[in-house]
Structure formats: structure tokens, C-alpha cells
Amino acid sequence: SDKLQAEILTLKRQLAQALADPGSIKVDPSVLEIEGKLIKPTYKEGSLSQEEVISTMTKNKKVLKSCYERAMKKSVALQRGKITLTIAFKVQPSGTASNILITPNHSGTMVDCMKKAIRRWKFPAFTGQAVGVESPLTLSPKN
């Protein structure tokens, strides 16, 4: 039937897109929400599994919170409400994070603190190419 053919075509297109960029991982916004529930994301996998990435990020997000809380003491702007940052980095086959980028830069000291913290994260070692990870990080002051 025509409907079935259209569905097969759509699936083939999605598969082609996934194969075109296998070394990139997009992390669901809920993963690094300081006050929120963890929802299982869907993203492309390299030879490092999404569960391993999420587990490492979830275990280590407390250090990002302390960077944020220290920066809030010095910045009234950070105390005003919720902000969302984008954290992007590459996980090297050795399990270390590199090429860390955090945007937008609301506070230089907070971003530097977070970059140093992420650099210390240990992901499982794996074979193959470095895997790109991109994750929103939502920060909100407690009421």
C-alpha cells in the first residue's frame, strides 16, 4: 500500500541520518536538571553507550551544583531565576572529557569551575573514535 511505502521511506531517511553522524551523542535536557526527574533520552551511540554517559553525568552533577551555588553568592543575576546552559564536550576513548564548551557564559568563575569539574569526570574507557556529548543544564535557585 502507499501508506506502507511512505512509512518505509521515512524510516530509511531516519536511518541514513543516524548513520551519517554516528559519533555524536545528544543528551536529553532532563539528565542534568538539578531539580528534576531523569527521563531516558534517545540519541545516537558511538562505542560508548548512552547508559554509561548518563550514569557518569548523573553521578557527577553534584560538583556542577557547587560551582553554581558558589557563583550565586557573588552574582545577583544568577539568583533571579532559572537559567539553562548548554554543555558540550568530547569523551575520549580513555574515558576523559575534552573540548569542553559551556554556553552562554553567565559567570566566568562558574563556567571555569564547571569545566574543571567535567575534566575530572571518568567515563568508561572504550574503543573507537571520541564521542561528542551535548546536554542542556538547567540551574535554578531554591525558593
Side-chain angles (χ1 to χ4, degrees), residues 3 7-8 14 21 35 46 69 84 95 113 115 121 134:
K3 197 174 180 183
E7 198 174 321
I8 290 169
Q14 288 171 346
D21 190 12
E35 299 177 6
E69 286 173 347
T84 300
C113 175
K115 282 182 175 180
W121 290 1
E134 189 178 301

Side-chain angles (χ1 to χ4, degrees), residues 44-143:
K44 293 170 251 153
E45 292 185 43
S47 51
L48 178 68
S49 81
Q50 61 182 12
E51 286 80 13
E52 291 168 327
V53 170
I54 291 166
S55 167
T56 302
M57 292 174 80
T58 305
K59 263 194 305 222
N60 290 289
K61 71 181 181 183
K62 283 189 206 83
V63 290
L64 301 181
K65 185 176 181 178
S66 63
C67 293
Y68 171 56
E69 286 173 347
R70 275 201 301 268
M72 267 201 307
K73 289 176 187 162
K74 298 180 181 118
S75 167
V76 178
L78 289 175
Q79 298 166 16
R80 289 206 183 105
K82 185 151 75 167
I83 60 168
T84 300
L85 307 176
T86 299
I87 296 177
F89 56 91
K90 287 201 177 300
V91 180
Q92 299 301 322
S94 63
T96 57
S98 66
N99 300 51
I100 303 160
L101 188 64
I102 300 175
T103 54
N105 188 340
H106 289 280
S107 156
T109 53
M110 179 177 75
V111 166
D112 289 346
C113 175
M114 287 180 173
K115 282 182 175 180
K116 277 191 192 115
I118 293 168
R119 233 174 257 122
R120 287 193 298 268
W121 290 1
K122 270 311 264 177
F123 292 87
F126 60 96
T127 55
Q129 298 294 307
V131 175
V133 175
E134 189 178 301
S135 173
L137 169 65
T138 303
L139 303 165
S140 50
K142 287 196 185 101
N143 298 332

